[in-house]
Amino acid sequence: MSDLKHLFDNNERWAENITQNDPDFFPRLARQQTPEYLWIGCSDARVPANDIVGLLPGELFVHRNVANVVLHTDLNCLSVIQYAVDVLKVRHILVTGHYGCGGVRAAMHDTQFGLIDGWLRNIRDLYYEQHEHLAGFTDEEARVDRLCELNVMKQVGNVSRTSIIQNAWHRGQSLSVHGCIYGLKDGRWKDLDVTVSGAEQLPEQYRLRPLQS
């Protein structure tokens, strides 16, 4: 554990600073969490969710994975979404990618990386679907960044089409799914203007009827 001593020291200083500024912070936090937001983002260590949007612990429910992918077969992600929507009653889901994403970049090439190749298949399919559009960008970095944006848009669609989200809308729950992207070079968090707030915004073939009581 000696290798981690500096981390425990950092934690002690952090906890002391929080307590000095707000003595009731940790007791209040321990009683309940009532976040209004679910963040679905990339695992990249350079993308600290709470810091980016200036929220304290307890104010942002977070799920992260490589390249912020939402698959309908991923029980981990779906469980997080269901808990956030059905139990915590979040009002906003923030699907957030970032420019220069290594996972997105890997999906654009034919190099094998191992198990993660299957995970990135969703993005690789998107890359080939958008190949003609992306060919219009002569610079590879620009192509990577554009695919990062397109990937966020696709994942917003994947979130919105789940039965979890649609059932919440059928119940009259106020819930919006937003697509955003973060810039590693400038620290700016940008709205991609692909917010979905109701089933009427979904393509008709993806709309689900309300559950029968």
Side-chain angles (χ1 to χ4, degrees):
M1 294 296 283
S2 60
D3 292 343
L4 302 181
K5 185 178 184 306
H6 66 292
L7 298 182
F8 287 108
D9 290 342
N10 289 346
N11 169 255
E12 187 171 350
R13 285 191 294 272
W14 173 77
E16 287 176 354
N17 288 336
I18 293 286
T19 302
Q20 286 175 4
N21 292 328
D22 184 357
D24 190 47
F25 179 81
F26 289 112
R28 186 173 64 248
L29 193 65
R31 286 193 291 270
Q32 63 178 347
Q33 62 168 339
T34 55
E36 289 190 28
Y37 311 95
L38 165 62
W39 172 287
I40 300 177
C42 183
S43 299
D44 193 301
R46 300 167 295 176
V47 188
N50 284 73
D51 293 342
I52 288 171
V53 291
L55 294 178
L56 292 170
E59 295 179 330
L60 187 68
F61 200 57
V62 177
H63 175 78
R64 297 170 69 173
N65 62 53
V66 175
N68 44 275
V69 172
V70 178
L71 300 177
H72 292 181
T73 53
D74 181 6
L75 294 181
N76 183 2
C77 184
L78 294 179
S79 296
V80 170
I81 294 173
Q82 182 165 32
Y83 185 78
V85 171
D86 293 352
V87 179
L88 297 177
K89 306 295 185 185
V90 299
R91 298 171 61 88
H92 302 277
I93 297 177
L94 315 172
V95 180
T96 299
H98 67 93
Y99 291 121
C101 179
V104 171
R105 187 186 303 275
M108 297 172 68
H109 299 282
D110 58 5
T111 304
Q112 288 194 49
F113 295 96
L115 185 63
I116 196 171
D117 295 332
W119 179 257
L120 297 176
R121 176 60 186 269
N122 183 260
I123 304 175
R124 182 162 293 183
D125 290 343
L126 176 64
Y127 174 57
Y128 283 105
E129 289 168 14
Q130 297 290 334
H131 193 269
E132 189 172 320
H133 169 69
L134 292 167
F137 296 83
T138 56
D139 177 70
E140 172 151 348
E141 291 306 309
R143 286 196 295 273
V144 171
D145 286 349
R146 179 54 179 161
L147 187 56
C148 289
E149 294 178 339
L150 294 172
N151 180 47
V152 168
M153 297 174 189
K154 181 177 180 68
Q155 306 314 324
V156 166
N158 286 347
V159 174
S160 303
R161 294 166 189 173
T162 63
S163 59
I164 302 164
I165 303 302
Q166 295 197 49
N167 285 334
W169 287 330
H170 290 322
R171 293 192 300 267
Q173 192 168 331
S174 177
L175 179 63
S176 296
V177 184
H178 310 269
C180 307
I181 196 156
Y182 175 69
L184 296 173
K185 295 179 180 178
D186 60 9
R188 299 295 183 177
W189 186 57
K190 185 173 79 173
D191 185 357
L192 290 175
D193 196 26
V194 288
T195 296
V196 182
S197 300
E200 69 280 357
Q201 292 178 254
L202 300 178
E204 189 171 353
Q205 67 268 30
Y206 292 111
R207 298 177 197 172
L208 302 174
R209 294 182 181 180
L211 285 169
Q212 299 298 316
S213 56

